[in-house]
Amino acid sequence: MQFIPELMRFENGSIVDTPQKMRERREEILRIFQNNAYGDMPSPVPVSGEIVEETNRCCSGNAVYYKIIIHCQFENSVFSFPVQLTVPIKEGKKPLIVAVNFSDQLPHEYIPVEEIIDNGFALAVVYYNDITNDSSDFSDKIAAFIPRTSSGHDAGKISMWAWSVSRALDYFLTRNDISEDRIAVIGHSRLGKTALWCAANDTRVRYVCSNNSGCMGAAYSRTWREGAESVSRIYGTFPYWFCENMKQYAENKAPMPFDQHMLIGAIAPRYVLVNSAGKDDWADPASEQNSCVGASPAWQVYGKKGYAGKEETYEIDAGDLNGDIGYYKRFGVHFLGRKDWLNFMSFIKNHY
Ligand code: GTR
């Protein structure tokens, strides 16, 4: 695989060395990823939320649980999807973590609701199959509302899932119990890729955690190693996550105009936590860490530090949660667990 991208250089060759230029570079990077990787991010549409279930008995009386239907108004029809919102019972506006997840079950093995509530966070769960199926079927749910064209960069499924988180935010930000400047998004694996892509596009997301997101998530493709997923493998198995233009890179027919430090860099100067797992070779923990290092100049141009951890590969159960970009490699396998959540909540609180 050949690579041409430099984070801090525009496509026309000029250097990115001021915050204003970085903001422009961000636009360019988003366009590069839309045109060559994830496909277009669908446009926003007017949104409303309808509460269909509510109980204050949640978490043994510590939280209010709401089931809400988000209605997205397209030109001639409405696309609706459910979200679950759990809000601690206490005064004032609460920070919100939106988890885009593999299940609508709650609690779920990936989501320790009670502990999240005890830490003072409101929690919203978006179930990805409610948005569009994780398959090559582009006729279901939101996919049916987005016309397919011959552009080569129609929205892939990751863009659709990311879009839905932003539409849920449109609604959450109308509520008076949610703190608009403390919005976080978390996702695991393919949904960790989704969380990063959502945060890159949506500047209302102040904190993002990609958990074990690997190839086309946080992992730097340039430092790919044997045993890890490659761009060719991921596109070969899951072409529908992406757009058709990615095929040429998967087949090594053209140099890749992006790498994942650029995706992370597009989130600057906001906060990114990259969580890896020691036994998750497929997601390439060392390359996930390398992207953090590679993305840092996007923060430095704002006078911030970016990644503040080690450059050498971390041992197990080590990392840094203090930088603007955090990185942690926990013990164990591909999973979103309690330790990952504790890290994310600490990371957020470190950056209030
Ligand atoms: C794997 C895929 C990874 C990762 C993972 C997951 O099969 O190759 O990129 O996304 O699935 O989402 O669990």
Side-chain angles (χ1 to χ4, degrees), residues 50-108:
E50 180 194 352
I51 297 172
V52 292
E53 216 179 296
E54 179 174 344
T55 168
N56 57 10
R57 297 280 173 91
C58 187
C59 297
S60 307
N62 263 337
V64 188
Y65 168 91
Y66 304 90
K67 184 167 183 184
I68 300 155
I69 309 295
I70 306 290
H71 300 293
C72 305
Q73 181 67 55
F74 283 78
E75 218 156 78
N76 298 317
S77 48
V78 177
F79 168 65
S80 302
F81 64 97
V83 295
Q84 301 181 81
L85 176 68
T86 312
V87 185
I89 297 178
K90 58 177 196 178
E91 288 296 303
K93 295 190 171 207
K94 271 67 75 174
L96 172 70
I97 304 181
V98 183
V100 51
N101 200 26
F102 294 90
S103 168
D104 55 3
Q105 202 191 313
L106 204 64
H108 176 253

Side-chain angles (χ1 to χ4, degrees), residues 203-243:
T203 54
R204 300 170 301 179
V205 178
R206 188 163 169 80
Y207 314 93
V208 58
C209 176
S210 98
N211 197 72
N212 306 177
S213 63
C215 182
M216 293 304 294
Y220 209 25
S221 297
R222 198 188 293 247
T223 58
W224 175 85
R225 62 202 58 215
E226 206 56 49
E229 186 170 31
S230 63
V231 171
S232 305
R233 287 291 294 273
I234 200 170
Y235 189 83
T237 317
F238 304 107
Y240 47 87
W241 290 354
F242 306 101
C243 67

Side-chain angles (χ1 to χ4, degrees), residues 169-183:
L169 284 182
D170 294 343
Y171 162 73
F172 294 137
L173 292 171
T174 65
R175 294 179 59 102
N176 57 17
D177 53 356
I178 299 299
S179 167
E180 57 282 357
D181 48 11
R182 288 183 180 172
I183 300 291

Side-chain angles (χ1 to χ4, degrees), residues 325-340:
I325 309 171
Y327 176 82
Y328 196 90
K329 191 206 270 185
R330 80 156 151 72
F331 173 81
V333 295
H334 192 71
F335 191 72
L336 172 58
R338 182 165 176 260
K339 175 68 178 156
D340 305 308

Side-chain angles (χ1 to χ4, degrees), residues 288-350:
E288 293 191 311
Q289 189 182 333
N290 292 342
S291 285
C292 300
V293 178
S296 277
W299 275 261
Q300 287 155 6
V301 87
Y302 288 100
K304 302 187 86 182
K305 183 147 183 135
Y307 174 64
K310 292 203 302 183
E311 295 216 359
E312 318 81 72
T313 305
Y314 272 109
E315 300 299 326
I316 302 299
D317 266 333
D320 176 87
L321 301 177
N322 293 311
D324 309 295
I325 309 171
Y327 176 82
Y328 196 90
K329 191 206 270 185
R330 80 156 151 72
F331 173 81
V333 295
H334 192 71
F335 191 72
L336 172 58
R338 182 165 176 260
K339 175 68 178 156
D340 305 308
W341 277 96
L342 291 176
N343 281 350
F344 190 33
M345 292 189 287
S346 302
F347 178 75
I348 294 171
K349 288 179 181 176
N350 287 347

